[in-house]
Amino acid sequence: MTHYRTINIDGLSVFYREAGDPANPTLLLLHGFPASSFMFRDLIVKLSADFHVVAPDYPGFGHSDAPHPDEFAYTFDHLADVIAAFTDKLGLDKYALYMQDFGGPVGFRLAHWRPERISFLVVQNANAYDEGLPDSFWAPVRALWQDPSTANREMIRQAGMSDEALQWNYTHGTADPTLISPDSWVLQQALLARPGNKDAMLDLLYDYRTNPGLYPQWQQYFRDHQPPTLIVWGKHDVIFPEAGAHPFRRDLDNVDFNLLDTGHFALEDHSDTIAAHIRRFARTVADGHRSAE
């Protein structure tokens, strides 16, 4: 069964979902934008017999505290600091990382900072290469990076965080949109309606400009430490398209590469497939460690 817990990290209440036996290998699930650990609700159930599964909400997301941007710096460095402290407080000394969307810049920071803690990576529509940021989607965000004026912020607020845009995030690229539960985007609508929350998300979208500059460091981490990596990528995603999935194979020797017939939030209609890939891949990683010994 899934447990719903909170823990105090630097004065903030951080909410997380936890399931499975802590004696089993730990899988840390890092969610995307503008989602929360809710996106992992089905995957947690499917993997709880094999893993100790932990899925936190970042500050400003889900059921964690959402301080006003005047009181909390919404940057990826800061989110990664909070999640690093979260893993320390829970005693997670070794874990696999599942990263989707914003989970990438949080998780790749963790992996780069603490490579000895990473058992393997699961990358699902989470970018670490320039090829994965096409102008066809990212041009308005790049405009914000160049000019964080009120006009550019308001344009993204209206176009990127409207009710219609939130629904589109979940349904675009899917073969059958009727399989996608509206609960996800209705929850996001409610959470974004909190005072100051859209401004917090805009601050993070502006700070996303810091991530491409770190790509060379993350790629060097891949080359130096060669974490076994499972790619499960929704190939019809237009936010982080398939073009961003292939370059991982340039730097990593052990890549299990899988393109899925879906969009950005692949777990909404492919949780069974992804869970099966994770169980299979974890067995191959464990077998490889035993052979090396």
Side-chain angles (χ1 to χ4, degrees):
M1 293 187 64
T2 302
H3 297 266
Y4 306 93
R5 309 187 192 278
T6 59
I7 190 170
N8 186 287
I9 304 294
D10 299 331
L12 294 172
S13 176
V14 172
F15 172 89
Y16 64 103
R17 301 166 196 258
E18 184 175 25
D21 186 344
N24 286 337
T26 296
L27 179 60
L28 180 64
L29 307 175
L30 299 181
H31 66 79
F33 164 84
S36 67
S37 61
F38 183 72
M39 67 174 281
F40 296 116
R41 63 200 180 279
D42 294 331
L43 188 68
I44 289 170
V45 174
K46 297 177 194 302
L47 294 180
S48 60
D50 303 286
F51 295 90
H52 171 220
V53 190
V54 180
D57 290 343
Y58 317 132
F61 293 78
H63 299 294
S64 289
D65 279 351
H68 192 275
D70 291 342
E71 302 168 351
F72 182 91
Y74 284 94
T75 68
F76 286 96
D77 279 347
H78 202 178
L79 295 188
D81 284 339
V82 170
I83 299 303
F86 170 83
T87 62
D88 289 344
K89 201 156 188 179
L90 264 63
L92 305 181
D93 296 325
K94 195 79 171 179
Y95 48 85
L97 268 177
Y98 186 118
M99 296 167 286
Q100 192 266 350
D101 189 87
F102 273 17
V106 175
F108 290 131
R109 279 170 169 80
L110 291 183
H112 180 243
W113 294 344
R114 298 171 164 183
E116 73 284 352
R117 296 198 179 192
I118 307 303
S119 56
F120 63 85
L121 304 178
V122 181
V123 181
Q124 190 249 297
N125 301 78
N127 197 53
Y129 293 87
D130 290 335
E131 293 93 326
L133 295 177
D135 275 340
S136 56
F137 180 85
W138 286 88
V141 183
R142 284 195 170 94
L144 177 69
W145 298 347
Q146 295 297 320
D147 176 17
S149 64
T150 299
N152 280 334
R153 286 175 68 94
E154 285 306 307
M155 186 270 292
I156 293 178
R157 184 195 303 268
Q158 297 300 322
M161 286 185 269
S162 67
D163 290 352
E164 294 77 15
L166 295 176
Q167 179 174 346
W168 175 87
N169 281 342
Y170 285 90
T171 58
H172 84 269
T174 60
D176 183 357
T178 67
L179 293 175
I180 311 303
S181 170
D183 295 347
S184 293
W185 63 80
V186 171
L187 175 61
Q188 299 320 309
Q189 290 165 3
L191 293 172
L192 283 171
R194 293 175 295 183
N197 199 244
K198 288 185 178 180
D199 287 314
M201 299 303 106
L202 287 164
D203 285 354
L204 281 168
L205 286 170
Y206 176 61
D207 191 67
Y208 203 95
R209 75 194 189 285
T210 65
N211 296 322
L214 296 176
Y215 289 171
Q217 294 180 32
W218 301 347
Q219 293 158 18
Q220 190 64 49
Y221 156 74
F222 299 153
R223 291 190 291 270
D224 289 346
H225 296 277
Q226 292 296 324
T229 299
L230 172 66
I231 305 284
V232 280
W233 199 288
K235 65 181 179 180
H236 304 304
D237 186 4
V238 300
I239 302 170
F240 293 119
E242 177 187 336
H246 295 281
F248 285 91
R249 296 190 285 193
R250 288 203 300 256
D251 297 312
L252 291 162
D253 297 333
N254 182 2
V255 179
D256 191 313
F257 190 86
N258 305 271
L259 296 177
L260 308 177
D261 186 20
T262 189
H264 187 63
F265 284 107
L267 283 171
E268 294 299 312
D269 57 350
H270 279 69
S271 62
D272 284 337
T273 300
I274 292 173
H277 279 309
I278 292 172
R279 285 192 296 267
R280 174 185 55 76
F281 185 69
R283 287 193 296 268
T284 67
V285 171
D287 290 344
H289 286 324
R290 284 191 288 268
S291 297
E293 295 171 353

Coordinates of all heavy atoms in Angstrom, one line a residue, residues 233-270:
W233 N 10.6 6.8 -23.5 CA 10.3 8.1 -23.9 C 9.1 8.2 -24.8 O 9.0 7.4 -25.8 CB 11.5 8.6 -24.8 CG 11.7 10.0 -25.0 CD1 10.9 10.9 -25.8 CD2 12.7 10.9 -24.4 NE1 11.4 12.2 -25.7 CE2 12.5 12.2 -24.9 CE3 13.7 10.7 -23.5 CZ2 13.3 13.3 -24.5 CZ3 14.5 11.7 -23.1 CH2 14.3 13.0 -23.6
G234 N 8.1 9.0 -24.5 CA 7.0 9.2 -25.3 C 7.4 9.9 -26.6 O 7.8 11.1 -26.6
K235 N 7.4 9.2 -27.7 CA 8.0 9.7 -29.0 C 7.2 10.8 -29.7 O 7.7 11.4 -30.6 CB 8.2 8.5 -29.9 CG 7.0 7.8 -30.4 CD 7.4 6.7 -31.4 CE 6.2 6.0 -31.9 NZ 6.6 4.8 -32.8
H236 N 5.9 11.0 -29.2 CA 5.2 12.1 -29.9 C 5.1 13.3 -29.0 O 4.3 14.3 -29.3 CB 3.7 11.6 -30.1 CG 3.6 10.3 -30.9 ND1 4.2 10.2 -32.2 CD2 3.1 9.1 -30.6 CE1 4.0 9.0 -32.6 NE2 3.3 8.3 -31.7
D237 N 6.0 13.4 -28.0 CA 6.1 14.6 -27.2 C 6.6 15.7 -28.0 O 7.6 15.6 -28.7 CB 7.0 14.3 -26.0 CG 7.1 15.4 -25.0 OD1 6.4 16.4 -25.1 OD2 7.8 15.2 -24.0
V238 N 6.0 16.9 -28.0 CA 6.5 18.1 -28.7 C 7.2 19.0 -27.7 O 7.9 20.0 -28.2 CB 5.4 18.8 -29.5 CG1 4.8 17.9 -30.5 CG2 4.4 19.4 -28.5
I239 N 7.2 18.8 -26.4 CA 7.9 19.6 -25.4 C 9.3 19.1 -25.4 O 10.3 19.9 -25.5 CB 7.2 19.5 -24.1 CG1 5.7 20.0 -24.2 CG2 8.0 20.4 -23.0 CD1 4.9 19.7 -22.9
F240 N 9.5 17.9 -25.1 CA 10.8 17.2 -25.1 C 10.7 16.1 -26.1 O 10.4 14.9 -25.8 CB 11.2 16.7 -23.7 CG 11.5 17.7 -22.7 CD1 10.8 17.8 -21.6 CD2 12.5 18.7 -22.9 CE1 11.0 18.8 -20.6 CE2 12.8 19.7 -22.0 CZ 12.0 19.7 -20.8
P241 N 11.0 16.4 -27.4 CA 10.7 15.4 -28.5 C 11.8 14.3 -28.5 O 12.8 14.3 -27.8 CB 10.8 16.3 -29.7 CG 11.7 17.4 -29.4 CD 11.5 17.7 -27.9
E242 N 11.5 13.3 -29.3 CA 12.3 12.1 -29.5 C 13.8 12.5 -29.8 O 14.7 11.8 -29.4 CB 11.8 11.3 -30.6 CG 12.6 10.1 -31.0 CD 12.1 9.3 -32.2 OE1 10.9 9.5 -32.5 OE2 12.9 8.6 -32.8
A243 N 14.0 13.6 -30.4 CA 15.4 14.1 -30.8 C 16.3 14.2 -29.5 O 17.5 14.0 -29.6 CB 15.4 15.4 -31.5
G244 N 15.6 14.5 -28.4 CA 16.4 14.6 -27.1 C 16.7 13.2 -26.5 O 17.6 13.2 -25.6
A245 N 16.1 12.2 -26.9 CA 16.3 10.8 -26.4 C 17.6 10.2 -26.9 O 18.4 9.5 -26.2 CB 15.1 9.9 -26.6
H246 N 17.8 10.3 -28.2 CA 18.9 9.6 -28.9 C 20.3 10.0 -28.4 O 21.2 9.1 -28.3 CB 18.8 9.8 -30.4 CG 17.5 9.2 -31.0 ND1 17.4 7.8 -31.2 CD2 16.3 9.7 -31.4 CE1 16.2 7.6 -31.8 NE2 15.5 8.7 -31.8
P247 N 20.6 11.2 -28.1 CA 22.0 11.6 -27.8 C 22.5 10.9 -26.5 O 23.7 10.8 -26.3 CB 21.9 13.1 -27.6 CG 20.8 13.6 -28.4 CD 19.8 12.5 -28.2
F248 N 21.6 10.4 -25.6 CA 22.1 9.7 -24.5 C 23.0 8.5 -24.9 O 24.0 8.2 -24.1 CB 21.0 9.2 -23.6 CG 20.3 10.2 -22.8 CD1 19.2 10.9 -23.3 CD2 20.7 10.5 -21.5 CE1 18.5 11.9 -22.6 CE2 20.0 11.5 -20.8 CZ 18.9 12.2 -21.3
R249 N 22.8 8.0 -26.0 CA 23.6 6.8 -26.5 C 25.0 7.2 -26.9 O 25.8 6.4 -27.1 CB 22.8 6.1 -27.6 CG 21.5 5.5 -27.1 CD 20.9 4.5 -28.1 NE 20.3 5.2 -29.2 CZ 19.4 4.7 -30.1 NH1 19.2 3.4 -30.0 NH2 18.9 5.4 -31.1
R250 N 25.2 8.5 -27.1 CA 26.6 9.0 -27.4 C 27.5 8.8 -26.3 O 28.7 8.6 -26.4 CB 26.5 10.5 -27.9 CG 25.9 10.8 -29.2 CD 26.4 12.1 -29.7 NE 26.1 13.2 -28.9 CZ 25.2 14.1 -29.1 NH1 24.4 14.0 -30.2 NH2 25.0 15.1 -28.3
D251 N 27.0 9.0 -25.1 CA 27.8 9.1 -23.9 C 27.7 7.9 -22.9 O 28.6 7.8 -22.0 CB 27.5 10.4 -23.1 CG 27.8 11.7 -23.9 OD1 28.9 11.7 -24.5 OD2 26.9 12.6 -24.0
L252 N 26.7 7.1 -23.1 CA 26.5 6.0 -22.2 C 26.6 4.7 -22.9 O 26.1 4.5 -24.0 CB 25.1 6.1 -21.6 CG 24.8 7.3 -20.6 CD1 23.4 7.6 -20.4 CD2 25.5 7.0 -19.3
D253 N 27.3 3.8 -22.3 CA 27.6 2.5 -22.9 C 26.4 1.5 -22.6 O 26.1 0.7 -23.5 CB 28.8 1.8 -22.3 CG 30.1 2.6 -22.6 OD1 30.1 3.3 -23.6 OD2 31.0 2.6 -21.8
N254 N 25.7 1.6 -21.5 CA 24.7 0.7 -21.1 C 23.3 1.5 -21.2 O 22.9 2.0 -20.2 CB 24.9 0.1 -19.7 CG 23.9 -0.9 -19.3 OD1 22.9 -1.2 -20.1 ND2 24.0 -1.4 -18.1
V255 N 22.7 1.5 -22.3 CA 21.4 2.2 -22.5 C 20.4 1.2 -23.1 O 20.6 0.6 -24.1 CB 21.5 3.4 -23.5 CG1 20.2 4.1 -23.7 CG2 22.6 4.4 -23.0
D256 N 19.3 1.1 -22.3 CA 18.2 0.3 -22.8 C 17.2 1.3 -23.3 O 16.5 2.0 -22.6 CB 17.6 -0.5 -21.6 CG 16.6 -1.6 -22.0 OD1 15.7 -1.2 -22.8 OD2 16.7 -2.7 -21.5
F257 N 17.0 1.3 -24.7 CA 16.4 2.4 -25.4 C 15.0 2.0 -25.8 O 14.8 1.0 -26.6 CB 17.2 2.9 -26.5 CG 16.8 4.1 -27.2 CD1 17.2 5.4 -26.7 CD2 15.9 4.1 -28.3 CE1 16.8 6.5 -27.3 CE2 15.5 5.3 -28.9 CZ 16.0 6.5 -28.4
N258 N 13.9 2.7 -25.4 CA 12.6 2.4 -25.7 C 11.8 3.6 -26.0 O 11.6 4.5 -25.2 CB 11.9 1.6 -24.6 CG 12.7 0.4 -24.1 OD1 12.5 -0.7 -24.6 ND2 13.6 0.6 -23.1
L259 N 11.2 3.7 -27.2 CA 10.3 4.8 -27.6 C 8.9 4.2 -27.5 O 8.6 3.1 -28.0 CB 10.6 5.2 -29.0 CG 11.9 5.9 -29.3 CD1 12.1 6.2 -30.8 CD2 12.1 7.1 -28.4
L260 N 8.0 5.1 -26.9 CA 6.6 4.6 -26.6 C 5.7 5.5 -27.5 O 5.9 6.7 -27.7 CB 6.3 4.8 -25.1 CG 7.3 4.2 -24.2 CD1 6.9 4.5 -22.7 CD2 7.4 2.7 -24.4
D261 N 4.6 4.9 -27.9 CA 3.6 5.5 -28.7 C 2.7 6.4 -27.9 O 1.5 6.1 -27.7 CB 2.8 4.4 -29.4 CG 1.8 5.0 -30.5 OD1 2.0 6.1 -30.9 OD2 0.9 4.3 -30.9
T262 N 3.2 7.5 -27.4 CA 2.5 8.4 -26.6 C 3.2 9.7 -26.5 O 4.1 10.0 -27.3 CB 2.2 7.8 -25.2 OG1 1.3 8.6 -24.4 CG2 3.5 7.7 -24.4
G263 N 2.7 10.6 -25.6 CA 3.2 12.0 -25.5 C 4.1 12.2 -24.3 O 4.8 11.4 -23.8
H264 N 3.9 13.4 -23.7 CA 4.8 13.9 -22.7 C 4.6 13.2 -21.4 O 5.6 12.8 -20.7 CB 4.4 15.4 -22.5 CG 5.4 16.1 -21.5 ND1 6.7 16.3 -21.8 CD2 5.1 16.8 -20.3 CE1 7.3 17.0 -20.8 NE2 6.3 17.3 -19.9
F265 N 3.4 12.9 -20.9 CA 3.1 12.2 -19.7 C 2.8 10.7 -20.0 O 1.7 10.3 -19.9 CB 2.0 12.9 -18.9 CG 2.4 14.2 -18.3 CD1 1.9 15.4 -18.8 CD2 3.1 14.2 -17.1 CE1 2.3 16.6 -18.1 CE2 3.5 15.3 -16.5 CZ 3.1 16.6 -17.0
A266 N 3.9 10.0 -20.3 CA 3.7 8.6 -20.8 C 3.1 7.7 -19.8 O 2.5 6.7 -20.2 CB 5.1 8.1 -21.3
L267 N 3.3 8.0 -18.5 CA 2.7 7.1 -17.5 C 1.2 7.1 -17.5 O 0.6 6.2 -17.0 CB 3.2 7.6 -16.1 CG 4.6 7.2 -15.7 CD1 5.1 7.8 -14.4 CD2 4.8 5.7 -15.6
E268 N 0.6 8.1 -18.1 CA -0.9 8.2 -18.0 C -1.5 7.0 -18.8 O -2.6 6.6 -18.5 CB -1.4 9.5 -18.6 CG -1.0 10.7 -17.7 CD -1.6 10.6 -16.3 OE1 -2.8 10.3 -16.2 OE2 -0.8 10.8 -15.3
D269 N -0.8 6.6 -19.9 CA -1.4 5.5 -20.7 C -0.4 4.3 -20.9 O -0.8 3.4 -21.6 CB -1.9 6.0 -22.0 CG -0.9 6.7 -22.9 OD1 0.2 7.0 -22.4 OD2 -1.2 7.0 -24.1
H270 N 0.8 4.4 -20.4 CA 1.8 3.4 -20.6 C 2.4 2.9 -19.2 O 3.6 2.5 -19.2 CB 2.9 3.8 -21.5 CG 2.5 3.7 -23.0 ND1 1.5 4.5 -23.5 CD2 2.9 2.9 -24.0 CE1 1.4 4.2 -24.8 NE2 2.2 3.2 -25.1

